[in-house]
Amino acid sequence: MSAAALAVVVVVVFFLALYLLQCYGDLRRQQRMVLLGTLLSWYLCFLIVFILPLDVSTTIYKQCILDNGNRPSPVTQARQSNQTKNKSSVNPTVSTPKVCEEPWSYIPDGILPVFWRVVYWTSQFLTWLLLPFMQSYARSGAFSRVGRIKTALIENAIYYGTYLLIFISLLIYVAAHPQWQLSWRQLQTIGITAANTWGLFLLVLLLGYGLVEIPRSYWLLSSYDYLLAKTYFKAAKVATEKASAEENLADVMEEVTGVHEAIRFNHGLRKCVDTIIGKCPAEYQEELVRNAESSRGEQNVLPTKGGLFKLHKKVISAVQRQGQTLVKWSILLEQAFHLEDVAKSQSSPLRHFTHSFPSEQNHGWVRRFIYTPTVEWYWECVCRQGFYRLLAVLLCLLSAAVVWSECTFFSTHPVLSLFAVFVQMAEKHHNYICIEMVCFVSILFLCFCVYSTVFRIRVFNYYYLVPHHQTDAYSLQFSGMLFCRLTPPLCLNFLGLIHMDSAISHQDRIQTSYTSIMGSMSVLYFISDGFYIYYPMLVLLLCFATYYSLGSRCLNLLGFHQYITDDNLTSDLVDEGREHIRRERRKRQKAEDGENRRWAWRDRYGAQDGAGRSRAGYTEINDDQSGPVTETKNSVITFRRDGEEEDEQHRSLLRDHYSDEGSPNRRSTEGRYLSLSPSRAGIFDDV
């Protein structure tokens, strides 16, 4: 295969990173440099994860050749079989010792060291230099590039100074040691060690949370009662957050209105004001135009340019936050409606899944031919619970294996790390496919526990990833920084788990190409022999803390409400969220009822009244009609609308009186809402 496997992995990983960026970021509206930096950071980190198993299998093959006295592989012997046929007929057959078999994904010498060097140093340049600068640049409220660059440099001065101080401290420690003489290679190793130490410190925290929370979350996904209660809890929190975001946006828009009225079109700062107004929502821009036409006065105090910078930054943040909350609210509503439909379908004797509000996606060819309502009922009501519980058990076993290996990977005689045992057993049988599968599954599970925690954490509305293209530029770049800082120490930790890192296992073996790029960690003994070995054991304590939800309880005491089943405040928020969902359900039912009646009107009377009215509405009158007739018809139409509003209020009171299960607002088996409006025969009885 030569380097074909490497090329395939490189292409596949690129499209994976691009797909994730498309899900979380907005490829059309966000800055190209932000998207490029985030894509490159995610891509490089995923490359390290996917190609490291190939590096392990190639290294084991080289070690096998070295142990067998540099004998050629069977593949090479097979290629030379035509040359040895004549010799075998002359010379007697001699039994040869067992030799190594070349793996299918073998990568030739010289490719991986260059590849790792480019990938690693590019990712480190992104995470420590470029991405922090781009974060401040994208978040700056300045109106020119020079102003944004100046703001970014000032904000990152403390950031860069902190890490420079850590590097200088390690440099002084090495220089003061009498046995060491500093070289360029050792300086690189010190820098890599400092970066990996910082990443390992954060890695253990995230890993301890993910190893427990990931299996538990999949186990809880099998319980619809738990999911529905937690969805109600989230609805109460998101509703409060949405109201706060709308109020914040309204306050910011008031400031923009004041600035818009104070700075007229002949002022020197008017261009900055127009830039700020261009970042506002469309409805607020129209309102600003109307207010400007009706307003004549000006404010006495004119804002400064620095004040406009701050206002520009506040507008960008407020608009982004309001859009995120709206998308989160709509997603949460769909989840709540779906879970309520599942609860009703479970108690229904019909094996047919019914949606309360069928969307356009439910009418695609997949829904009609493959994922039919019957198949959906069997999946949601029969198979889903067992599938998620089985998956949770498998993930729990993997988590237990990781915790055990993290606490025992330093023991080489006997070998206690489970991952090292599996790899060594496959190495004895020269089963390189099994080696790659064990490495790939293990490192992928570690990355899943760490990366999923990165995607789920939220820091005071300052950083969090929101799907459906709602993640802002700062959060995208922050996630790229975290990935670049967490991936190298995670891979080194994995190599230690399988005893492929001589700095930890202290074995005389060929090092992987990835480890050779990192350099010898023995330059700093207190890190290689102390921190790297004993600090990962803290993952056991973090797993216990996560299992008993100590972090969530502490956050709950500090005022950051978390979902805890045995808490009174959680019960109150669940009840509040249930009321929010019921209110939104009634709104959608009323809107759908009105839409059905309008379509019924158009289908029955649109063709008959086409000469006098348009199909788009029944309030349009021909131009050639006289004034009195027009006024009479308009009054009749107004009275008709008043009657419809009273009828809608009466039906809403009926819905509020009955519960959701026993409500007369029933739905047909096709999932459509059965209207309670009067029959068509007496449609003009209220006029």
Side-chain angles (χ1 to χ4, degrees):
M1 291 293 292
S2 185
L6 179 63
V8 171
V9 172
V10 168
V11 175
V12 172
V13 170
F14 175 78
F15 286 104
L16 175 62
L18 184 62
Y19 172 75
L20 289 177
L21 181 61
Q22 191 271 338
C23 291
Y24 286 90
D26 193 346
L27 300 181
R28 297 181 179 179
R29 300 178 57 184
Q30 287 176 337
Q31 302 178 9
R32 295 292 180 266
M33 291 300 298
V34 172
L35 296 175
L36 181 61
T38 306
L39 176 62
L40 187 59
S41 60
W42 289 8
Y43 175 54
L44 295 177
C45 295
F46 295 161
L47 273 180
I48 297 176
V49 172
F50 280 82
I51 296 179
L52 188 61
L54 306 182
D55 191 3
V56 171
S57 62
T58 302
T59 303
I60 291 177
Y61 170 69
K62 293 178 181 179
Q63 183 67 39
C64 179
I65 294 178
L66 181 63
D67 295 339
N68 286 274
N70 298 325
R71 291 185 178 88
S73 64
V75 176
T76 307
Q77 290 181 348
R79 294 173 182 173
Q80 298 175 355
S81 60
N82 295 330
Q83 300 177 3
T84 59
K85 285 182 179 179
N86 296 329
K87 295 182 180 180
S88 61
S89 60
V90 177
N91 299 326
T93 303
V94 180
S95 61
T96 59
K98 186 177 180 180
V99 293
C100 305
E101 179 182 358
E102 183 178 299
W104 69 277
S105 58
Y106 174 74
I107 300 175
D109 297 338
I111 294 179
L112 279 179
V114 176
F115 177 82
W116 288 131
R117 190 173 289 109
V118 172
V119 169
Y120 178 78
W121 288 111
T122 304
S123 64
Q124 295 304 300
F125 173 75
L126 287 173
T127 186
W128 298 106
L129 295 177
L130 184 59
L131 288 180
F133 177 81
M134 292 177 61
Q135 275 186 309
S136 302
Y137 181 87
R139 201 176 180 87
S140 174
F143 299 97
S144 62
R145 294 183 178 179
V146 177
R148 291 185 177 184
I149 293 174
K150 182 179 178 180
T151 303
L153 291 176
I154 294 175
E155 290 182 356
N156 286 276
I158 301 176
Y159 175 83
Y160 293 135
T162 303
Y163 293 108
L164 184 62
L165 179 63
I166 296 175
F167 178 78
I168 292 176
S169 301
L170 294 175
L171 188 63
I172 294 175
Y173 172 80
V174 176
H177 202 282
Q179 297 179 355
W180 293 337
Q181 294 181 357
L182 289 180
S183 62
W184 174 247
R185 180 61 178 173
Q186 290 180 341
L187 289 177
Q188 288 183 353
T189 304
I190 293 173
I192 294 172
T193 303
N196 291 335
T197 303
W198 189 96
L200 183 63
F201 178 80
L202 182 61
L203 173 67
V204 173
L205 298 178
L206 299 178
L207 189 61
Y209 176 83
L211 289 175
V212 175
E213 193 62 29
I214 296 300
R216 182 165 57 184
S217 63
Y218 278 96
W219 180 269
L220 294 175
L221 281 176
S222 62
S223 175
Y224 283 107
D225 296 335
Y226 173 85
L227 290 178
L228 190 57
K230 191 172 183 179
T231 303
Y232 290 151
F233 175 83
K234 291 181 179 180
K237 293 184 62 177
V238 174
T240 304
E241 182 182 347
K242 184 166 70 72
S244 176
E246 292 174 352
E247 292 177 0
N248 183 33
L249 181 61
D251 295 339
V252 174
M253 290 301 106
E254 289 183 1
E255 298 183 21
V256 174
T257 302
V259 171
H260 177 64
E261 294 176 355
I263 299 179
R264 291 302 181 182
F265 297 97
N266 56 354
H267 197 276
L269 297 177
R270 185 62 200 181
K271 185 177 180 180
C272 300
V273 176
D274 294 336
T275 303
I276 295 175
I277 294 176
K279 300 294 179 61
C280 299
E283 59 272 15
Y284 284 100
Q285 295 183 19
E286 297 175 357
E287 185 177 356
L288 287 174
V289 173
R290 291 193 299 266
N291 293 338
E293 294 177 354
S294 60
S295 177
R296 296 293 182 182
E298 293 185 0
Q299 292 183 353
N300 296 327
V301 180
L302 294 176
T304 61
K305 193 170 184 179
L308 292 180
F309 288 170
K310 296 180 180 179
L311 181 60
H312 188 204
K313 188 175 181 179
K314 291 170 63 176
V315 167
I316 295 174
S317 178
V319 172
Q320 183 70 32
R321 184 184 174 192
Q322 195 257 354
Q324 289 176 349
T325 54
L326 288 179
V327 173
K328 289 172 60 178
W329 178 250
S330 62
I331 295 173
L332 199 61
L333 288 180
E334 296 297 333
Q335 293 177 355
F337 294 154
H338 177 72
L339 292 174
E340 290 177 348
D341 294 340
V342 171
K344 293 179 181 179
S345 298
Q346 286 178 341
S347 59
S348 175
L350 298 177
R351 297 186 177 183
H352 184 90
F353 194 87
T354 302
H355 291 273
S356 298
F357 305 102
S359 60
E360 296 180 356
Q361 298 178 355
N362 295 334
H363 301 288
W365 65 272
V366 176
R367 291 280 184 175
R368 286 182 296 181
F369 300 106
I370 301 177
Y371 197 60
T372 60
T374 303
V375 175
E376 186 175 5
W377 185 90
Y378 276 101
W379 164 250
E380 296 289 349
C381 302
V382 178
C383 302
R384 188 176 187 270
Q385 182 178 9
F387 173 77
Y388 277 106
R389 289 189 176 181
L390 178 60
L391 182 60
V393 171
L394 295 177
L395 293 176
C396 186
L397 294 177
L398 282 175
S399 296
V402 170
V403 173
W404 171 263
S405 300
E406 290 286 355
C407 297
T408 60
F409 72 94
F410 57 88
S411 176
T412 57
H413 301 286
V415 179
L416 298 179
S417 175
L418 298 179
F419 299 104
V421 171
F422 296 151
V423 171
Q424 291 180 9
M425 289 177 59
E427 181 181 358
K428 291 179 180 178
H429 296 84
H430 304 282
N431 192 347
Y432 296 102
I433 296 180
C434 182
I435 293 174
E436 293 173 0
M437 290 301 299
V438 170
C439 294
F440 180 75
V441 172
S442 304
I443 195 172
L444 188 63
F445 178 70
L446 293 174
C447 293
F448 180 65
C449 293
V450 175
Y451 291 168
S452 62
T453 308
V454 173
F455 277 94
R456 295 172 62 180
I457 61 176
R458 178 173 176 176
V459 186
F460 305 114
N461 290 329
Y462 192 66
Y463 154 76
Y464 60 105
L465 295 175
V466 184
H468 298 272
H469 322 290
Q470 295 300 314
T471 306
D472 57 355
Y474 184 88
S475 298
L476 286 175
Q477 292 172 335
F478 189 75
S479 65
M481 291 169 53
L482 284 181
F483 285 171
C484 291
R485 296 178 187 181
L486 291 173
T487 304
L490 185 145
C491 293
L492 282 179
N493 179 259
F494 168 74
L495 292 175
L497 294 180
I498 62 175
H499 293 175
M500 294 291 292
D501 188 358
S502 61
I504 297 176
S505 61
H506 302 288
Q507 294 180 352
D508 187 13
R509 292 177 58 93
I510 297 178
Q511 297 295 302
T512 60
S513 299
Y514 184 79
T515 310
S516 63
I517 299 302
M518 296 295 160
S520 178
M521 298 300 174
S522 60
V523 177
L524 302 175
Y525 292 107
F526 72 95
I527 292 181
S528 61
D529 296 338
F531 184 78
Y532 278 2
I533 293 178
Y534 298 105
Y535 180 72
M537 295 181 185
L538 292 178
V539 73
L540 183 62
L541 298 178
L542 294 172
C543 288
F544 277 111
T546 305
Y547 179 78
Y548 291 104
S549 303
L550 297 182
S552 299
R553 296 181 187 276
C554 293
L555 291 175
N556 205 21
L557 293 176
L558 294 176
F560 303 98
H561 303 308
Q562 304 294 317
Y563 184 77
I564 302 175
T565 54
D566 56 351
D567 186 69
N568 294 329
L569 182 59
T570 300
S571 302
D572 295 339
L573 290 176
V574 168
D575 295 336
E576 181 183 349
R578 185 183 292 108
E579 293 300 324
H580 283 296
I581 298 300
R582 286 180 178 177
R583 191 178 300 115
E584 292 295 333
R585 179 179 285 274
R586 288 195 294 266
K587 288 181 181 179
R588 288 201 180 187
Q589 287 177 351
K590 290 164 62 175
E592 187 176 327
D593 184 31
E595 185 68 21
N596 291 337
R597 287 189 287 108
R598 282 193 295 270
W599 278 107
W601 171 271
R602 294 170 185 174
D603 292 340
R604 183 168 184 177
Y605 300 103
Q608 299 177 4
D609 299 338
R613 300 184 181 91
S614 68
R615 292 184 61 88
Y618 43 83
T619 61
E620 216 174 303
I621 309 297
N622 289 337
D623 296 335
D624 56 351
Q625 292 176 340
S626 59
V629 176
T630 304
E631 294 176 0
T632 303
K633 291 188 176 182
N634 288 334
S635 64
V636 172
I637 292 169
T638 303
F639 183 75
R640 162 70 179 163
R641 290 175 177 172
D642 294 338
E644 288 182 359
E645 292 177 358
E646 293 177 1
D647 190 44
E648 288 288 344
Q649 294 177 0
H650 177 66
R651 285 194 299 275
S652 64
L653 290 176
L654 287 177
R655 296 191 193 96
D656 294 340
H657 180 71
Y658 293 95
S659 63
D660 291 343
E661 291 78 5
S663 174
N665 303 321
R666 298 180 305 273
R667 296 189 174 266
S668 63
T669 57
E670 291 83 4
R672 303 297 298 173
Y673 174 69
L674 295 179
S675 174
L676 290 180
S677 59
S679 62
R680 297 179 180 176
I683 199 169
F684 290 105
D685 291 344
D686 57 344
V687 179

